[in-house]
Amino acid sequence: MSERSKTTRLGHFIRDLSNLLDRTADERVILSEGKGLLEDLIMNDDWLPDEFAKPHPKFYSQYLLYCDPADRFSIVSFVWGPGQLTPIHDHTVWGLIGMLRGAEVSTRFELGAPMKSVGVDRLEPGAVDMVSPSVGDIHQVANAFEDKASISIHVYGSNIGTVERHVFDKASGEQKSFVSGYSNSTLPNPWSGVNIG
Ligand SMILES: [Fe+2]
């Protein structure tokens, strides 16, 4: 596939998700139809530029790929180095997590002291998971592999890098606010020479 058409998949996804959000603000519809759009995007692992697929030796990386001008959604490439994992955290907005490369393990939690694990899901390439305050918003995510990187494409119902949310201590249930930011200062070009209209 040429460099030109590599960028088309992300451009198409942006267009289709924008159209969906023009049509509805109903979270259930966004999650179910958005899941189908994300499945289409991650069905092929040939479009993410290498720059946004690079693991960091110490920390998992969050590369912003696109943010809607009205902050209705953002698209982020999460790159897990071998054995890396998040703290237990929430999102406060809807989110879709699509596995592109490798695999990850998501453990869901309920508030409490200690916090109670309420389910473990392993995401393989092509699978999409959902989070939101209405469908379950607290989890911990880990690279399923100790010897290679994994990459998932996340879509959130806001400019997620600027949202104040929470990390949780498993034993005490205590929560602290955090804002994740992003790992990158430049973005890919989803429209390089391609007419996506
Ligand atoms: Fe998460």
Side-chain angles (χ1 to χ4, degrees):
M1 186 172 273
S2 70
E3 189 62 36
R4 177 176 141 144
S5 52
K6 274 181 189 173
T7 54
T8 319
R9 296 190 201 282
L10 180 59
H12 274 262
F13 177 74
I14 292 166
R15 181 196 62 188
D16 292 346
L17 189 61
S18 297
N19 288 343
L20 171 60
L21 295 179
D22 287 346
R23 231 182 338 111
T24 184
D26 183 333
E27 185 183 288
R28 280 170 310 167
V29 178
I30 294 168
L31 284 174
S32 70
E33 293 192 25
K35 179 173 187 273
L37 298 178
L38 185 56
E39 282 167 350
D40 287 347
L41 176 66
I42 60 169
M43 188 186 291
N44 298 284
D45 181 9
D46 60 1
W47 56 269
L48 183 66
D50 290 345
E51 194 185 338
F52 307 100
K54 264 195 321 239
H56 182 281
K58 281 198 178 149
F59 313 106
Y60 60 90
S61 300
Q62 304 165 74
Y63 300 108
L64 178 67
L65 301 181
Y66 180 77
C67 185
D68 174 65
D71 281 358
R72 296 178 304 169
F73 68 92
S74 53
I75 306 171
V76 182
S77 157
F78 261 69
V79 181
W80 314 92
Q84 291 176 350
L85 77 169
T86 67
I88 301 174
H89 65 276
D90 66 6
H91 311 83
T92 75
V93 295
W94 63 261
L96 291 162
I97 298 145
M99 202 70 220
L100 183 72
R101 198 177 301 173
E104 67 187 38
V105 176
S106 168
T107 306
R108 290 183 181 266
F109 286 91
E110 271 176 6
L111 290 174
M115 296 185 73
K116 194 173 136 204
S117 163
V118 289
V120 180
D121 294 304
R122 183 183 167 108
L123 283 191
E124 301 288 348
V128 173
D129 197 12
M130 298 175 181
V131 291
S132 91
S134 61
V135 301
D137 200 35
I138 303 175
H139 69 171
Q140 180 172 39
V141 184
N143 187 349
F145 295 100
E146 294 288 339
D147 59 351
K148 65 175 185 180
S150 291
I151 302 175
S152 48
I153 304 300
H154 298 205
V155 187
Y156 298 100
S158 184
N159 177 2
I160 194 69
T162 67
V163 173
E164 186 172 320
R165 44 206 182 109
H166 309 94
V167 290
F168 300 85
D169 180 73
K170 188 177 170 183
S172 66
E174 209 170 281
Q175 50 180 282
K176 279 191 201 148
S177 295
F178 82 105
V179 176
S180 69
Y182 297 111
S183 308
N184 53 323
S185 53
T186 58
L187 270 61
N189 180 359
W191 300 284
S192 59
V194 176
N195 176 8
I196 62 163

